[in-house]
Amino acid sequence: MKSTSSSFLQALGSGLAGALILNIVHESVRQLRPVDAPRMDILGKRGLRKLLFKANAPQPDENTAYGLTLLGDVASNGLYYSLVGTGRGVWWRGIALGLAAGVGGVVLPGPLGLGDGPSNRTPQTKAMTVAWYLLGGLVAAGTSAWWSQATTEEE
């Protein structure tokens, strides 16, 4: 039987794997398809700038804002995907979390005042947004399943 700390570490590690894949795909495809690739980086920078403005904090330059956004994106998506957890049902949780994040990435930016364009510009943009977040959920689930199998074989 696994300890709570090893399960927690497995969930965090799996979530980080999903978040890293999500960001690698995002950054790669936006270079290859600038016309219709989702630009979650722009949404992140807009959100960061809004928060800093409301806090009367200084605005970072473009490169710093990009770096902070990327770091925040990996951290927040890693924590989100860590909800995949361990044990039975990781694949269903990965699918559900990925689809929820993808649909949220298409639907929520407008109502949050971040603009619709970066994730909602074209049908291809919407499809890629949902697909990439789903991929992140599946990678988190696959990593957790692999981790469970690897630790079971060690015992």
Side-chain angles (χ1 to χ4, degrees), residues 60-133:
D61 63 46
E62 190 65 22
N63 287 336
T64 303
Y66 174 79
L68 289 171
T69 298
L70 190 60
L71 182 63
D73 196 38
V74 170
S76 62
N77 283 317
L79 288 172
Y80 176 76
Y81 285 132
S82 73
L83 296 173
V84 163
T86 63
R88 295 175 55 144
V90 293
W91 289 105
W92 290 113
R93 287 191 299 274
I95 290 168
L97 288 167
L99 287 175
V103 171
V106 171
V107 173
L108 293 176
L112 292 174
L114 301 175
D116 289 323
S119 64
N120 208 358
R121 197 165 47 259
T122 68
Q124 293 84 1
T125 307
K126 294 175 189 178
M128 283 187 268
T129 300
V130 174
W132 295 349
Y133 280 97

Side-chain angles (χ1 to χ4, degrees), residues 28-76:
S28 299
V29 177
R30 80 176 181 90
Q31 299 296 323
L32 299 171
R33 295 185 60 127
V35 173
D36 58 2
R39 295 298 308 269
M40 304 316 266
D41 57 311
I42 291 173
L43 291 175
K45 285 188 278 188
R46 288 178 183 171
L48 173 66
R49 292 191 184 287
K50 277 183 104 168
L51 288 172
L52 293 174
F53 178 78
K54 288 185 183 218
N56 291 321
Q59 294 290 324
D61 63 46
E62 190 65 22
N63 287 336
T64 303
Y66 174 79
L68 289 171
T69 298
L70 190 60
L71 182 63
D73 196 38
V74 170
S76 62

